[in-house]
Amino acid sequence: MTLPPSDPAPFAAAPTAPPIAPPALDRTAALGTVRAVARALAAGTDSTEVLKTLCDAATIRGRGTGAAVAEISFDTGTYVAVTDDRKELVGLRFSLNGTITGRVATERRPIGVPSASESSPFFADLMPRLGIGPILVLPLVAHDVLLGVLSVFRAMGQQPFDPQDEERLATVADLAALALWKAHKLEEVQRADAAKTSLLATLSHELRTPLTALEGYGELLEDEILGPLSTAQRDVIVRLRSVSRHLGALIEDLLTYASLEADHLTAREGPVRLMELIDSLLVFVEPLAREKGIELSVDVEDGLPEIRTDEARARQILLNLCQNAVKFTEHGEVSIKVSRGSPGQDGAPTVRLAVRDSGIGIDTADLQRLFRPFSQLEDVPTRRHRGTGLGLYICKRLAVMLRGRVEVVSRPGEGSVFTLVLPIGH
């Protein structure tokens, strides 16, 4: 952004007059501005808001008529935040060569000038046209990193900034620099997290296409469309399809996680028959249990009504719970029990879909972090229990999306019970 070089009409310079003292700073106002910056430091989640708070606070604390913050990049400065009455400065780029801003950025100390004429030719021309007289320029430094340069202005004809002004503004600058540091770090994490989510979604989509083809070829072989199979060949094909289903579930978890993090997932509710839901689940779970020699049982209470929910997401939750149950059970059984539940907090009827296993169980201290993304228990007996660490996190998020919840009861050596509680929804 550049400003017109010669039209002084919108910003007529003040007539020559004895310097005018700025109004005294009320103690209550002074404390209020410090608190405002301190609150920005505590909140510190948005650098734009922190910069706006800084400009307003610096104007009050410095008894000025406006303030601006410039970002520094090599030999160039750019105004990125200003008080409301100086919006024409936003986006203005200028060379640091010969400027007070450049000196402050290099020397990292406050510098005040009585008038813009004592700055570079660029500012000596610009500032009078904006009605700006004395200026105090301060560095914004946190953890030895220069985050920007703050300029506080007074109107032409007002007194220059004194040492007390400088001391007050240095306090504001220090607090704001810490707030900016925190906000920048949080924004870096958010950008990295968004990039990770995008990468996971892209990889998952790219993996799904060849996996679909692999499953199709496996089905052709298993159905002997391409010729008869020996017993050994059939056993290999069955194992291949089981592994393909497991890989498909992992890819689905990655896609679901990416969609949840991007808030792109919504429930598509419809009537669901619970027995049909369980039957569709067993197609995936029975081969896993059979391969480990684990007994799998199902108990569905008689007379249960249809529920209204997203069948695909409910199945995904239950599949994750069942896969975990089989994974962490070396001997014994895994059972699925469907029954009526107690009314929810709103008094609506619910159903409970409980997955019980006789596996290794979970220590009480580990229960709190079970539902965190990418979380793994450190004391599992073997590495083969490792996974993505997303399954239970996805279960919890999807259950909330379905207006339900996931409960867990477990003790080391006594197995676990994970229960999906859903509203009937009629």
Side-chain angles (χ1 to χ4, degrees):
M1 171 183 172
T2 56
L3 294 174
S6 59
D7 181 12
F11 312 109
T16 302
I20 301 172
L25 183 65
D26 179 78
R27 181 174 179 81
T28 301
L31 291 174
T33 55
V34 172
R35 291 193 187 101
V37 177
R39 283 195 297 270
L41 175 61
T45 59
D46 185 281
S47 58
T48 301
E49 187 63 30
V50 170
L51 288 171
K52 178 65 169 62
T53 301
L54 168 60
C55 289
D56 292 342
T59 300
I60 297 173
R61 290 282 287 176
R63 299 180 295 166
T65 57
V69 175
E71 285 187 348
I72 306 302
S73 177
F74 300 104
D75 60 351
T76 302
T78 304
Y79 285 118
V80 293
V82 297
T83 44
D84 290 338
D85 59 341
R86 301 295 179 189
K87 289 183 178 180
E88 63 272 20
L89 289 177
V90 174
L92 175 66
R93 299 182 65 189
F94 56 91
S95 171
L96 295 178
N97 186 35
T99 65
I100 300 299
T101 301
R103 283 184 57 194
V104 169
T106 301
E107 300 174 16
R108 297 194 180 186
R109 65 179 182 88
I111 298 177
V113 291
S115 67
S117 62
E118 299 186 30
S119 185
S120 69
F122 175 80
F123 284 106
D125 174 66
L126 172 65
M127 294 308 180
R129 290 193 287 116
L130 297 177
I132 293 174
I135 305 171
L136 180 63
V137 187
L138 306 97
L140 298 173
V141 178
H143 302 285
D144 203 34
V145 175
L146 180 70
L147 303 175
V149 173
L150 168 67
S151 297
V152 187
F153 319 122
R154 284 179 180 167
M156 294 181 66
Q158 287 191 331
Q159 289 182 349
F161 293 89
D162 59 30
Q164 288 74 27
D165 295 322
E166 182 178 321
E167 182 179 354
R168 286 193 297 268
L169 287 171
T171 300
V172 173
D174 288 343
L175 287 171
L178 290 172
L180 277 176
W181 172 271
K182 180 181 176 181
H184 286 166
K185 288 300 178 184
L186 180 60
E187 288 164 355
E188 287 177 9
V189 170
Q190 291 171 338
R191 287 193 294 269
D193 193 56
K196 176 192 68 178
T197 300
S198 176
L199 176 62
L200 287 176
T202 301
L203 286 175
S204 300
H205 279 293
E206 293 298 321
L207 289 171
R208 177 181 271 179
T209 300
L211 179 62
T212 301
L214 182 62
E215 290 177 335
Y217 293 142
E219 185 175 347
L220 288 176
L221 291 171
E222 186 176 15
D223 293 342
E224 299 187 327
I225 301 298
L226 303 178
L229 297 172
S230 66
T231 301
Q233 289 172 330
R234 180 173 293 279
D235 182 60
V236 170
I237 295 300
V238 169
R239 290 175 180 271
L240 174 65
R241 296 204 65 193
S242 176
V243 171
S244 296
R245 290 192 188 101
H246 178 62
L247 181 57
L250 292 177
I251 293 174
E252 186 64 30
D253 279 351
L254 290 174
L255 283 171
T256 302
Y257 172 78
S259 298
L260 286 169
E261 293 301 291
D263 291 325
H264 290 164
L265 214 57
T266 56
R268 299 180 179 179
E269 294 188 352
V272 177
R273 294 181 179 178
L274 291 168
M275 195 65 241
E276 292 180 0
L277 173 63
I278 298 302
D279 285 342
S280 68
L281 182 70
L282 294 178
V283 173
F284 297 94
V285 181
E286 281 181 335
L288 299 176
R290 190 184 312 118
E291 184 177 344
K292 293 190 69 174
I294 296 170
E295 181 181 348
L296 179 66
S297 63
V298 176
D299 179 11
V300 180
E301 182 180 315
D302 292 334
L304 289 177
E306 283 187 344
I307 66 173
R308 186 166 186 81
T309 190
D310 187 321
E311 183 173 0
R313 297 308 175 188
R315 184 186 301 110
Q316 186 175 359
I317 296 171
L318 291 170
L319 180 58
N320 263 311
L321 298 181
C322 289
Q323 286 176 331
N324 276 351
V326 172
K327 182 194 302 184
F328 291 99
T329 301
E330 297 302 322
H331 308 285
E333 65 174 352
V334 170
S335 64
I336 304 171
K337 182 177 181 179
V338 186
S339 59
R340 294 180 186 272
S342 302
Q345 292 182 349
D346 58 356
T350 64
V351 294
R352 297 176 63 85
L353 301 99
V355 179
R356 180 186 297 272
D357 66 66
S358 58
I360 61 176
I362 304 166
D363 190 87
T364 303
D366 291 325
L367 291 178
Q368 295 300 318
R369 58 190 182 92
L370 271 182
F371 296 95
R372 298 174 187 170
F374 303 105
S375 177
Q376 298 279 356
L377 299 185
E378 300 298 329
D379 56 352
V380 293
T382 64
R383 291 289 299 176
R384 61 197 177 94
H385 287 141
R386 299 293 186 178
T388 62
L390 289 174
L392 291 177
Y393 170 76
I394 289 172
C395 288
K396 180 181 179 180
R397 289 286 302 271
L398 290 180
V400 171
M401 188 178 74
L402 300 181
R403 295 176 290 114
R405 65 184 184 276
V406 175
E407 301 174 347
V408 57
V409 177
S410 184
R411 289 183 180 179
E414 298 181 14
S416 305
V417 182
F418 285 84
T419 303
L420 171 62
V421 181
L422 292 175
I424 290 179
H426 291 296

